[in-house]
PDB file of all heavy atoms in Angstrom:
ATOM      1  N   GLN L 139      -7.816 102.095 132.783  1.00  0.00           N
ATOM      2  CA  GLN L 139      -8.008 101.705 131.439  1.00  0.00           C
ATOM      3  C   GLN L 139      -6.954 100.659 131.171  1.00  0.00           C
ATOM      4  O   GLN L 139      -5.739 100.961 131.217  1.00  0.00           O
ATOM      5  CB  GLN L 139      -7.803 102.857 130.481  1.00  0.00           C
ATOM      6  CG  GLN L 139      -7.742 102.495 129.018  1.00  0.00           C
ATOM      7  CD  GLN L 139      -8.965 101.667 128.541  1.00  0.00           C
ATOM      8  OE1 GLN L 139     -10.128 101.923 128.978  1.00  0.00           O
ATOM      9  NE2 GLN L 139      -8.715 100.648 127.804  1.00  0.00           N
ATOM     10  N   GLU L 141      -7.107  98.030 128.499  1.00  0.00           N
ATOM     11  CA  GLU L 141      -6.836  97.642 127.116  1.00  0.00           C
ATOM     12  C   GLU L 141      -5.968  98.626 126.487  1.00  0.00           C
ATOM     13  O   GLU L 141      -6.089  99.816 126.634  1.00  0.00           O
ATOM     14  CB  GLU L 141      -8.121  97.586 126.355  1.00  0.00           C
ATOM     15  CG  GLU L 141      -7.926  96.960 124.916  1.00  0.00           C
ATOM     16  CD  GLU L 141      -9.172  96.703 124.132  1.00  0.00           C
ATOM     17  OE1 GLU L 141     -10.249  97.049 124.541  1.00  0.00           O
ATOM     18  OE2 GLU L 141      -9.102  96.161 123.092  1.00  0.00           O
ATOM     19  N   ALA L 142      -4.972  98.182 125.767  1.00  0.00           N
ATOM     20  CA  ALA L 142      -4.541  96.816 125.504  1.00  0.00           C
ATOM     21  C   ALA L 142      -3.603  96.239 126.586  1.00  0.00           C
ATOM     22  O   ALA L 142      -3.725  95.155 127.082  1.00  0.00           O
ATOM     23  CB  ALA L 142      -3.972  96.683 124.148  1.00  0.00           C
ATOM     24  N   PHE L 278     -10.173 110.441 128.749  1.00  0.00           N
ATOM     25  CA  PHE L 278     -10.158 109.125 128.262  1.00  0.00           C
ATOM     26  C   PHE L 278      -9.598 109.195 126.801  1.00  0.00           C
ATOM     27  O   PHE L 278      -9.877 109.980 126.002  1.00  0.00           O
ATOM     28  CB  PHE L 278     -11.751 108.660 128.140  1.00  0.00           C
ATOM     29  CG  PHE L 278     -11.849 107.131 128.160  1.00  0.00           C
ATOM     30  CD1 PHE L 278     -11.577 106.488 129.309  1.00  0.00           C
ATOM     31  CD2 PHE L 278     -12.295 106.561 127.000  1.00  0.00           C
ATOM     32  CE1 PHE L 278     -11.646 105.046 129.308  1.00  0.00           C
ATOM     33  CE2 PHE L 278     -12.362 105.079 127.005  1.00  0.00           C
ATOM     34  CZ  PHE L 278     -12.131 104.405 128.202  1.00  0.00           C
ATOM     35  N   MET L 280     -10.029 106.998 124.399  1.00  0.00           N
ATOM     36  CA  MET L 280     -10.840 106.583 123.149  1.00  0.00           C
ATOM     37  C   MET L 280     -12.271 106.980 123.478  1.00  0.00           C
ATOM     38  O   MET L 280     -12.547 107.835 124.328  1.00  0.00           O
ATOM     39  CB  MET L 280     -10.639 105.113 123.006  1.00  0.00           C
ATOM     40  CG  MET L 280      -9.233 104.595 122.812  1.00  0.00           C
ATOM     41  SD  MET L 280      -8.757 104.630 121.107  1.00  0.00           S
ATOM     42  CE  MET L 280      -9.548 103.153 120.579  1.00  0.00           C
ATOM     43  N   ALA L 282     -14.833 104.481 124.634  1.00  0.00           N
ATOM     44  CA  ALA L 282     -15.407 103.827 125.786  1.00  0.00           C
ATOM     45  C   ALA L 282     -14.678 102.445 125.877  1.00  0.00           C
ATOM     46  O   ALA L 282     -14.019 101.966 124.926  1.00  0.00           O
ATOM     47  CB  ALA L 282     -16.936 103.647 125.709  1.00  0.00           C
ATOM     48  N   MET L 283     -14.935 101.765 127.030  1.00  0.00           N
ATOM     49  CA  MET L 283     -14.180 100.432 127.290  1.00  0.00           C
ATOM     50  C   MET L 283     -15.186  99.520 127.904  1.00  0.00           C
ATOM     51  O   MET L 283     -15.820  99.823 128.891  1.00  0.00           O
ATOM     52  CB  MET L 283     -12.972 100.696 128.101  1.00  0.00           C
ATOM     53  CG  MET L 283     -12.186  99.450 128.367  1.00  0.00           C
ATOM     54  SD  MET L 283     -11.616  98.739 126.872  1.00  0.00           S
ATOM     55  CE  MET L 283     -11.600  96.985 127.390  1.00  0.00           C
ATOM     56  N   GLU L 284     -15.182  98.328 127.344  1.00  0.00           N
ATOM     57  CA  GLU L 284     -16.142  97.275 127.725  1.00  0.00           C
ATOM     58  C   GLU L 284     -15.735  96.364 128.868  1.00  0.00           C
ATOM     59  O   GLU L 284     -16.226  95.160 128.984  1.00  0.00           O
ATOM     60  CB  GLU L 284     -16.277  96.254 126.454  1.00  0.00           C
ATOM     61  CG  GLU L 284     -15.038  95.391 126.156  1.00  0.00           C
ATOM     62  CD  GLU L 284     -14.125  95.966 125.059  1.00  0.00           C
ATOM     63  OE1 GLU L 284     -14.084  97.186 124.899  1.00  0.00           O
ATOM     64  OE2 GLU L 284     -13.429  95.168 124.375  1.00  0.00           O
ATOM     65  N   HIS L 317     -22.442  99.292 121.378  1.00  0.00           N
ATOM     66  CA  HIS L 317     -21.094  98.775 121.056  1.00  0.00           C
ATOM     67  C   HIS L 317     -20.496  98.080 122.273  1.00  0.00           C
ATOM     68  O   HIS L 317     -20.081  96.940 122.280  1.00  0.00           O
ATOM     69  CB  HIS L 317     -20.199  99.807 120.466  1.00  0.00           C
ATOM     70  CG  HIS L 317     -18.820  99.240 120.096  1.00  0.00           C
ATOM     71  ND1 HIS L 317     -18.518  98.845 118.834  1.00  0.00           N
ATOM     72  CD2 HIS L 317     -17.713  98.989 120.860  1.00  0.00           C
ATOM     73  CE1 HIS L 317     -17.192  98.398 118.820  1.00  0.00           C
ATOM     74  NE2 HIS L 317     -16.804  98.491 119.939  1.00  0.00           N
ATOM     75  N   GLU L 318     -20.414  98.805 123.384  1.00  0.00           N
ATOM     76  CA  GLU L 318     -19.748  98.296 124.560  1.00  0.00           C
ATOM     77  C   GLU L 318     -20.603  97.157 125.212  1.00  0.00           C
ATOM     78  O   GLU L 318     -20.102  96.146 125.653  1.00  0.00           O
ATOM     79  CB  GLU L 318     -19.438  99.369 125.623  1.00  0.00           C
ATOM     80  CG  GLU L 318     -18.661 100.550 125.088  1.00  0.00           C
ATOM     81  CD  GLU L 318     -17.377 100.208 124.373  1.00  0.00           C
ATOM     82  OE1 GLU L 318     -16.860  99.176 124.651  1.00  0.00           O
ATOM     83  OE2 GLU L 318     -17.059 100.994 123.532  1.00  0.00           O
ATOM     84  N   HIS L 321     -20.123  93.893 123.328  1.00  0.00           N
ATOM     85  CA  HIS L 321     -18.810  93.300 123.644  1.00  0.00           C
ATOM     86  C   HIS L 321     -18.988  92.265 124.763  1.00  0.00           C
ATOM     87  O   HIS L 321     -18.119  91.385 124.855  1.00  0.00           O
ATOM     88  CB  HIS L 321     -17.809  94.315 124.031  1.00  0.00           C
ATOM     89  CG  HIS L 321     -16.925  94.870 123.019  1.00  0.00           C
ATOM     90  ND1 HIS L 321     -16.366  94.127 122.029  1.00  0.00           N
ATOM     91  CD2 HIS L 321     -16.494  96.176 122.763  1.00  0.00           C
ATOM     92  CE1 HIS L 321     -15.665  94.853 121.240  1.00  0.00           C
ATOM     93  NE2 HIS L 321     -15.725  96.154 121.761  1.00  0.00           N
ATOM     94  N   LYS L 339     -13.029  90.809 117.769  1.00  0.00           N
ATOM     95  CA  LYS L 339     -14.031  91.432 118.566  1.00  0.00           C
ATOM     96  C   LYS L 339     -14.424  92.753 118.130  1.00  0.00           C
ATOM     97  O   LYS L 339     -15.677  93.140 118.229  1.00  0.00           O
ATOM     98  CB  LYS L 339     -13.550  91.523 120.010  1.00  0.00           C
ATOM     99  CG  LYS L 339     -12.452  92.550 120.380  1.00  0.00           C
ATOM    100  CD  LYS L 339     -12.156  92.536 121.871  1.00  0.00           C
ATOM    101  CE  LYS L 339     -11.125  93.519 122.294  1.00  0.00           C
ATOM    102  NZ  LYS L 339     -11.548  95.041 122.490  1.00  0.00           N
ATOM    103  N   GLU L 340     -13.602  93.601 117.553  1.00  0.00           N
ATOM    104  CA  GLU L 340     -13.934  94.949 117.098  1.00  0.00           C
ATOM    105  C   GLU L 340     -14.670  94.976 115.843  1.00  0.00           C
ATOM    106  O   GLU L 340     -15.765  95.613 115.715  1.00  0.00           O
ATOM    107  CB  GLU L 340     -12.781  95.859 117.025  1.00  0.00           C
ATOM    108  CG  GLU L 340     -12.061  96.073 118.415  1.00  0.00           C
ATOM    109  CD  GLU L 340     -12.926  96.615 119.536  1.00  0.00           C
ATOM    110  OE1 GLU L 340     -14.077  97.074 119.208  1.00  0.00           O
ATOM    111  OE2 GLU L 340     -12.545  96.587 120.700  1.00  0.00           O
ATOM    112  N   ASN L 393      -1.335  99.782 120.647  1.00  0.00           N
ATOM    113  CA  ASN L 393      -2.239 100.858 120.658  1.00  0.00           C
ATOM    114  C   ASN L 393      -2.408 101.547 119.315  1.00  0.00           C
ATOM    115  O   ASN L 393      -3.409 102.257 118.995  1.00  0.00           O
ATOM    116  CB  ASN L 393      -1.856 101.877 121.690  1.00  0.00           C
ATOM    117  CG  ASN L 393      -2.050 101.352 123.087  1.00  0.00           C
ATOM    118  OD1 ASN L 393      -3.132 100.672 123.269  1.00  0.00           O
ATOM    119  ND2 ASN L 393      -1.185 101.570 123.997  1.00  0.00           N
ATOM    120  N   TYR L 396      -5.568 100.180 116.813  1.00  0.00           N
ATOM    121  CA  TYR L 396      -7.015 100.466 117.014  1.00  0.00           C
ATOM    122  C   TYR L 396      -7.421 101.464 115.897  1.00  0.00           C
ATOM    123  O   TYR L 396      -7.695 102.598 116.181  1.00  0.00           O
ATOM    124  CB  TYR L 396      -7.251 100.951 118.487  1.00  0.00           C
ATOM    125  CG  TYR L 396      -7.210  99.882 119.440  1.00  0.00           C
ATOM    126  CD1 TYR L 396      -5.946  99.453 119.859  1.00  0.00           C
ATOM    127  CD2 TYR L 396      -8.214  99.281 119.976  1.00  0.00           C
ATOM    128  CE1 TYR L 396      -5.689  98.377 120.732  1.00  0.00           C
ATOM    129  CE2 TYR L 396      -8.092  98.194 120.842  1.00  0.00           C
ATOM    130  CZ  TYR L 396      -6.843  97.718 121.212  1.00  0.00           C
ATOM    131  OH  TYR L 396      -6.687  96.747 122.116  1.00  0.00           O
ATOM    132  N   TYR L 401     -11.604  98.374 112.899  1.00  0.00           N
ATOM    133  CA  TYR L 401     -12.960  98.555 113.218  1.00  0.00           C
ATOM    134  C   TYR L 401     -13.935  98.551 112.056  1.00  0.00           C
ATOM    135  O   TYR L 401     -14.814  97.821 112.024  1.00  0.00           O
ATOM    136  CB  TYR L 401     -13.047  99.890 114.033  1.00  0.00           C
ATOM    137  CG  TYR L 401     -12.678  99.777 115.474  1.00  0.00           C
ATOM    138  CD1 TYR L 401     -11.341  99.619 115.881  1.00  0.00           C
ATOM    139  CD2 TYR L 401     -13.674  99.916 116.513  1.00  0.00           C
ATOM    140  CE1 TYR L 401     -11.042  99.542 117.250  1.00  0.00           C
ATOM    141  CE2 TYR L 401     -13.280  99.869 117.843  1.00  0.00           C
ATOM    142  CZ  TYR L 401     -11.967  99.617 118.182  1.00  0.00           C
ATOM    143  OH  TYR L 401     -11.619  99.596 119.514  1.00  0.00           O
ATOM    144  N   GLN L 840      -0.299 107.781 123.336  1.00  0.00           N
ATOM    145  CA  GLN L 840      -1.374 107.240 122.544  1.00  0.00           C
ATOM    146  C   GLN L 840      -2.090 108.314 121.718  1.00  0.00           C
ATOM    147  O   GLN L 840      -2.411 108.172 120.547  1.00  0.00           O
ATOM    148  CB  GLN L 840      -2.483 106.565 123.327  1.00  0.00           C
ATOM    149  CG  GLN L 840      -2.201 105.163 123.726  1.00  0.00           C
ATOM    150  CD  GLN L 840      -3.367 104.548 124.589  1.00  0.00           C
ATOM    151  OE1 GLN L 840      -4.498 104.637 124.180  1.00  0.00           O
ATOM    152  NE2 GLN L 840      -2.997 103.928 125.654  1.00  0.00           N
TER     153      GLN L 840
HETATM  154  N1  LIG Z 917     -12.183  98.190 123.305  1.00  0.00           N
HETATM  155  C1  LIG Z 917     -12.583  99.607 123.181  1.00  0.00           C
HETATM  156  C2  LIG Z 917     -13.747  99.669 122.267  1.00  0.00           C
HETATM  157  O1  LIG Z 917     -13.691  99.410 121.109  1.00  0.00           O
HETATM  158  C3  LIG Z 917     -11.478 100.458 122.689  1.00  0.00           C
HETATM  159  C4  LIG Z 917     -10.623 101.182 123.662  1.00  0.00           C
HETATM  160  C5  LIG Z 917     -11.010 101.915 124.734  1.00  0.00           C
HETATM  161  C6  LIG Z 917      -9.194 101.241 123.703  1.00  0.00           C
HETATM  162  N2  LIG Z 917      -9.982 102.482 125.323  1.00  0.00           N
HETATM  163  C7  LIG Z 917      -8.864 102.102 124.793  1.00  0.00           C
HETATM  164  C8  LIG Z 917      -8.210 100.765 122.951  1.00  0.00           C
HETATM  165  C9  LIG Z 917      -7.565 102.400 125.122  1.00  0.00           C
HETATM  166  C10 LIG Z 917      -6.935 101.008 123.289  1.00  0.00           C
HETATM  167  C11 LIG Z 917      -6.607 101.887 124.305  1.00  0.00           C
HETATM  168  O2  LIG Z 917     -14.878  99.874 122.679  1.00  0.00           O
END
Side-chain angles (χ1 to χ4, degrees):
Q139 172 55 41
E141 187 174 5
F278 205 70
M280 305 270 282
M283 181 61 212
E284 69 265 24
H317 180 95
E318 306 312 331
H321 269 315
K339 74 176 176 83
E340 295 305 346
N393 286 322
Y396 287 75
Y401 278 69
Q840 274 182 47

